[in-house]
Amino acid sequence: QSLIPNDHLTIANNIIHGCDVNENLKGHGEGPGPLQGGPAWGPVEIVGNELLEMASQGVDATGVHNWSVEDNTLHHAKTGSFMGTDYDGGGIGFKNGGSQSRVRNNWSEQSGGGFGLGGVSGSCINDTEPPHGYGCFQRYEMTDLVVENNTVKDTSKDAFGIYQCDNCRVLGNYVD
């Protein structure tokens, strides 16, 4: 079975209110990227959006490659829980074998978390065998990520959570 990734996709200038159980925008399972011997695809651009009232991350970039997340505003994550599941609102997170992405000039305020560079669970760290179809089979949760000129204000969690991230750069950001 062949995997069809997101390719040449732009999500721009939208206002997106969160739902009760998941992310405002989610990219998932695009498979091994070019750094792991997979295909080169993209770009995916998420630009100029307002993401609010998220139950989880405003942008959840799980296993994605060649993404650009720029000039977005994320604010007012939900608090409490829904049907027994606690909200864990957050800003923008990359994990599960993603690569070659950029996060620039975003504003995150009262979002429950700033920016995640690599997955907290370390789900890829011991997954070293190529899967059938897709998955992560590399040492790092995220490779080649630049996070620069972003603002994080009034967050209840880490402004920058960095886990198993190779060649990741955090440059010129403002945290208050």
Side-chain angles (χ1 to χ4, degrees):
Q1 180 178 6
S2 296
L3 180 71
I4 308 298
N6 291 320
D7 201 4
H8 301 284
L9 173 67
T10 299
I11 301 172
N13 304 317
N14 299 287
I15 298 173
I16 303 173
H17 290 265
C19 63
D20 283 325
V21 294
N22 216 330
E23 295 77 8
N24 290 34
L25 294 172
K26 183 174 185 100
H28 187 266
E30 291 182 354
L35 296 179
Q36 294 83 32
W41 58 70
V44 171
E45 298 175 344
I46 299 174
V47 182
N49 299 286
E50 180 182 1
L51 310 171
L52 65 151
E53 300 172 354
M54 51 282 210
S56 191
Q57 293 171 316
V59 177
D60 182 350
T62 299
V64 303
H65 311 283
N66 198 12
W67 273 37
S68 179
V69 182
E70 299 187 16
D71 302 311
N72 298 285
T73 302
L74 300 91
H75 60 94
H76 294 93
K78 291 183 177 185
T79 58
S81 65
F82 177 75
M83 297 182 68
T85 301
D86 290 337
Y87 294 132
D88 64 349
I92 299 170
F94 285 82
K95 62 184 180 277
N96 204 19
S99 67
Q100 300 171 313
S101 296
R102 308 292 173 256
V103 179
R104 294 186 173 117
N105 305 315
N106 297 285
W107 181 280
S108 179
E109 185 169 4
Q110 296 180 354
S111 64
F115 302 94
L117 292 71
V120 179
S121 65
S123 61
C124 289
I125 204 73
N126 294 316
D127 186 7
T128 59
E129 295 297 319
H132 298 291
Y134 69 94
C136 61
F137 59 97
Q138 62 284 327
R139 291 181 53 198
Y140 301 101
E141 287 280 329
M142 188 64 203
T143 303
D144 187 21
L145 176 65
V146 176
V147 178
E148 64 181 339
N149 300 328
N150 298 286
T151 298
V152 181
K153 295 185 76 168
D154 194 18
T155 180
S156 60
K157 297 182 183 174
D158 298 335
F160 299 97
I162 304 170
Y163 310 92
Q164 293 99 26
C165 200
D166 181 47
N167 194 31
C168 295
R169 288 141 343 249
V170 179
L171 310 167
N173 298 282
Y174 177 79
V175 178
D176 183 15

